[in-house]
Amino acid sequence: MFTTRPTLQGTFGMAATTHWLASQTAMAVLEDDGNAFDAAVAAGFVLHVVEPHLNGPAGEVPIILAPAGGPVRVLCGQGPAPAGATIEHYTSLGLDLVPGTGPLAAAVPGAFDAWLLLLRDHGTKSLADVLRYATGYAEHGHPPVEGVTTTVRTVAALFETEWTSSAEVYLPFGRPPEPGRLFTNRALAATWRRLVAEARAAGPGRETQIDAARRVWREGFVAEALTAAASRPTMDTSGERHRATLTGDDLAAYRAGYEAPVGYDWHGWTVCKAGPWSQGPALLQQLALLPGDLDALRAGYGTAEYVHTLVEGTKLAMADREAWYGDAADVPLKTLLSPEYNARRRALIGPEASWELRPGRPDGRVPRLSPHATAAATGALPAAPSGVAPSGAGEPTVGRDGATRGDTCHLDVVDRWGNMVSATPSGGWLQSNPVVPELGFPLGTRLQMTWLTPGLPASLTPGRRPRTTLTPSLALRDGVPVLAFGTPGGDQQDQWQLHFFLAVALGEPVRGGLPLQTAIDAPNWHTDAFPGSFYPRGMVPGSVTVESRMGERTVAELRRRGHRVTVGGPWTEGRLSAVARDPESGLLSAAANPRGMQGYAVGR
């Protein structure tokens, strides 16, 4: 099968990310005797610099890690709703949705503490070692990708009139950063230099300095600047100016933490995901909904019947996500992944496309949806194209036209010792909130994923995590970690990952390794036939967007089955990256997405 690039193979180390500078940073750390976790942290901070329209230090990051010889763990870098973020407060402001931008949508920042906890507990390098790459690119410049230019252009008027601190960074000389010309963020570089200096002043020792930096973030000059920014009235997507509910006490109380992954066994594989505070288990449900005949799946791979089966399963899994996932309730996850439940759900998949939102009844429980979700499902709300938000609003993902607008980042790393890590940093985008002038980066907006209806699993609840779309993956074969993968893409993430994983699991090995690049390059698709996670939270019943490479015959058959098919460009669906390790030979592999022309894998 045609591939745009080879699947890289070697024995020393491999890294694959959504930006070539982050990938090469990870490799530089590996070459300097760092391990996969050191490399991931350094690359993560570089992504904050080179993809500022897709993530930032005050955003969030779920991380799945598999230390060599140790158990797979999830490191949660998703901060909770602040103590003052009550439904009553938001509705008293006349809101029925949390705004897609502005400080009122800010959760407690989680990414920074998660990266440093990973470095402290599993890395070997100092804070200064891993931050020097990001600091250098922020201080001395990097050539911005076109996505930065395009994003800044869409919000330039807002920056010039309202978010003037953002204009100072992202509209140098009155115009957006330009590809081919070095772009700097010296305020961010100064923040990291001061942080390292204060950490060193805390005393000798790697762990001592990392913990000191974590304290500075939550209680020192960083916390002071974030709190001041949160208290300033700021224009958001509601058309009004609001202050955040985030306070210094919220920042001081937050700690990233570890938890067990949710796993699902499928034909000798075990796929590990974060819990139902993420959308991760939706991928596992999609696997559980597949027919059991592996040979039939392999024989039908890529056909209209195959795509129809996957799309209809996605609709059922995402309907359950809408009804049952969230951090504000007890999620019946054991039942949602059980063979009995999924056999009943699988029976709902017929030869024709469904245009309904059909959550199940695990353990006989009656699903309850927010009025907004119900209205979107019944057509009482405008069918806004998923991901095509108003200027400066929400998370720009992938629209019905198939155009990739970016949204998030991803990275995967494996080293020669067998350590493996997958992470999906996001939030704190340049278009989410005004840049905090003292720091060089903005607050995030993850609270827009919560509902202002009481009693739902994803209701806005102080101290509870908003249900995030961020969902890295790690897979084991016969109980041994062999594959780390993921993608940006908001609600599309676990749709693209499903198709990728099946292409790997069903495909022919490449030189003794997994066919990673083949699986990434394969024509992909997504559906918007469920309430979106981002403002304005629209839904397009019956929809499926496919790459034009899918073929006219397949498209015609999908339409005959009742799907509302949008044909996008040939390379518009997905931004996947992956690394793999053969536990018997030690052979390492890596691949990255060619779409968007910025994701790369490196290794040797």
Side-chain angles (χ1 to χ4, degrees):
M1 183 178 182
F2 168 79
T3 61
T4 57
R5 309 163 179 173
T7 295
L8 303 186
Q9 294 189 319
T11 57
F12 180 81
M14 293 281 165
T17 83
T18 50
H19 195 290
W20 64 86
L21 290 178
S23 298
Q24 189 52 50
T25 293
M27 197 65 204
V29 174
L30 294 178
E31 295 284 5
D32 193 35
D33 289 328
N35 66 18
F37 309 115
D38 297 313
V41 175
F45 278 100
V46 167
L47 286 173
H48 296 329
V49 178
V50 299
E51 294 192 316
H53 58 311
L54 309 179
N55 79 137
E60 43 276 327
V61 59
I63 302 168
I64 301 185
L65 59 147
V72 176
R73 301 289 285 169
V74 171
L75 175 50
C76 176
Q78 173 59 67
T86 64
I87 289 174
E88 294 75 18
H89 174 66
Y90 285 67
T91 56
S92 73
L93 298 173
L95 299 170
D96 57 0
L97 288 176
V98 177
T101 63
L104 200 59
V108 180
F112 179 87
D113 198 63
W115 286 128
L116 263 62
L117 189 62
L118 179 66
L119 179 66
R120 188 196 72 180
D121 294 348
H122 297 281
T124 64
K125 295 290 187 180
S126 70
L127 178 66
D129 286 337
V130 297
L131 275 180
R132 66 188 179 93
Y133 303 92
T135 304
Y137 285 126
E139 176 70 27
H140 303 295
H142 62 92
V145 295
E146 290 183 4
V148 174
T149 304
T150 301
T151 302
V152 174
R153 187 175 292 124
T154 64
V155 292
L158 176 68
F159 284 9
E160 290 170 338
T161 59
E162 294 283 347
W163 298 6
T164 54
S165 60
S166 296
E168 291 176 8
V169 174
Y170 290 107
L171 291 172
F173 312 108
R175 60 180 184 269
E178 298 178 21
R181 295 190 177 186
L182 292 180
F183 171 68
T184 62
N185 185 342
R186 291 190 173 89
L188 177 59
T191 295
W192 296 148
R193 285 198 305 271
R194 180 177 175 182
L195 188 81
V196 168
E198 293 195 13
R200 281 174 170 161
R206 193 182 72 89
E207 294 184 9
T208 296
Q209 292 181 8
I210 292 171
D211 281 337
R214 296 171 70 200
R215 286 193 299 273
V216 171
W217 176 276
R218 62 178 180 257
E219 299 174 12
F221 79 92
V222 176
E224 292 171 0
L226 291 175
T227 302
S231 67
R232 287 192 282 268
T234 300
M235 180 65 70
D236 59 38
T237 50
S238 72
E240 302 290 337
R241 295 180 180 84
H242 294 114
R243 294 181 173 89
T245 57
L246 181 70
T247 68
D249 289 341
D250 296 313
L251 291 167
Y254 177 71
R255 307 289 189 279
Y258 298 97
E259 57 191 57
V262 178
Y264 183 76
D265 296 329
W266 188 81
H267 296 283
W269 294 84
T270 301
V271 182
C272 295
K273 302 290 281 185
W277 52 268
S278 75
Q279 72 172 341
L283 174 62
L284 309 183
Q285 282 195 252
Q286 290 175 91
L287 289 173
L289 284 162
L290 290 173
D293 188 342
L294 201 62
D295 289 335
L297 270 178
R298 184 177 288 111
Y301 175 82
T303 64
E305 174 67 24
Y306 178 88
V307 175
H308 170 79
T309 299
L310 267 57
V311 169
E312 292 303 299
T314 294
K315 293 175 185 176
L316 294 174
M318 290 301 194
D320 277 344
R321 184 195 74 164
E322 187 58 47
W324 302 111
Y325 289 21
D327 199 33
D330 179 25
V331 181
L333 196 55
K334 183 177 180 180
T335 300
L336 290 170
L337 295 176
S338 69
E340 298 79 12
Y341 177 79
N342 284 286
R344 294 193 299 271
R345 299 285 278 160
R346 192 181 307 118
L348 297 175
I349 300 176
E352 303 294 322
S354 168
W355 283 43
E356 300 176 87
L357 186 67
R358 300 182 290 179
R361 296 191 173 205
D363 304 321
R365 294 163 59 174
V366 178
R368 183 180 173 216
L369 303 174
S370 78
H372 186 93
T374 301
T378 57
L381 292 177
S386 174
V388 185
S391 178
E395 178 181 38
T397 57
V398 174
R400 288 169 59 195
D401 59 0
T404 301
R405 296 174 174 84
D407 61 290
T408 293
C409 307
H410 186 77
L411 65 86
D412 304 291
V413 187
V414 61
D415 63 30
R416 63 190 184 275
W417 300 288
N419 299 302
M420 187 176 291
V421 59
S422 180
T424 309
S426 185
W429 316 289
L430 65 87
Q431 66 273 29
S432 63
N433 261 298
V435 165
V436 181
E438 302 92 335
L439 303 176
F441 59 84
L443 287 165
T445 54
R446 194 59 57 170
L447 290 187
Q448 66 182 288
M449 296 187 152
T450 62
W451 292 113
L452 298 182
T453 301
L456 303 175
S459 295
L460 178 64
T461 307
R464 295 288 186 174
R465 294 167 289 191
R467 189 195 71 208
T468 180
T469 54
L470 307 176
T471 172
S473 300
L474 199 145
L476 297 78
R477 185 71 175 168
D478 299 322
V480 180
V482 298
L483 175 65
F485 61 99
T487 179
D491 294 315
Q492 288 86 35
Q493 288 181 31
D494 279 321
Q495 302 182 57
W496 293 332
Q497 290 186 69
L498 171 70
H499 186 48
F500 164 82
F501 174 73
L502 291 176
V504 169
L506 301 174
E508 295 296 325
V510 176
R511 296 189 300 278
L514 297 174
L516 303 184
Q517 195 66 51
T518 304
I520 287 173
D521 287 354
N524 219 321
W525 52 268
H526 81 271
T527 177
D528 300 313
F530 51 87
S533 296
F534 294 91
Y535 185 94
R537 312 203 70 168
M539 171 177 167
V540 189
S543 69
V544 59
T545 299
V546 303
E547 292 182 326
S548 59
R549 293 181 296 129
M550 192 77 72
E552 293 181 4
R553 182 178 299 179
T554 300
V555 169
E557 175 60 15
L558 290 172
R559 285 175 173 155
R560 189 193 68 78
R561 289 171 176 262
H563 294 278
R564 181 192 292 183
V565 181
T566 297
V567 179
W571 298 93
T572 49
E573 293 286 317
R575 290 179 64 208
L576 286 143
S577 65
V579 299
R581 180 178 185 271
D582 181 342
E584 294 185 3
S585 65
L587 180 68
L588 308 179
S589 305
N593 175 54
R595 300 164 179 87
M597 297 186 291
Q598 65 187 68
Y600 279 88
V602 296
R604 67 173 180 88

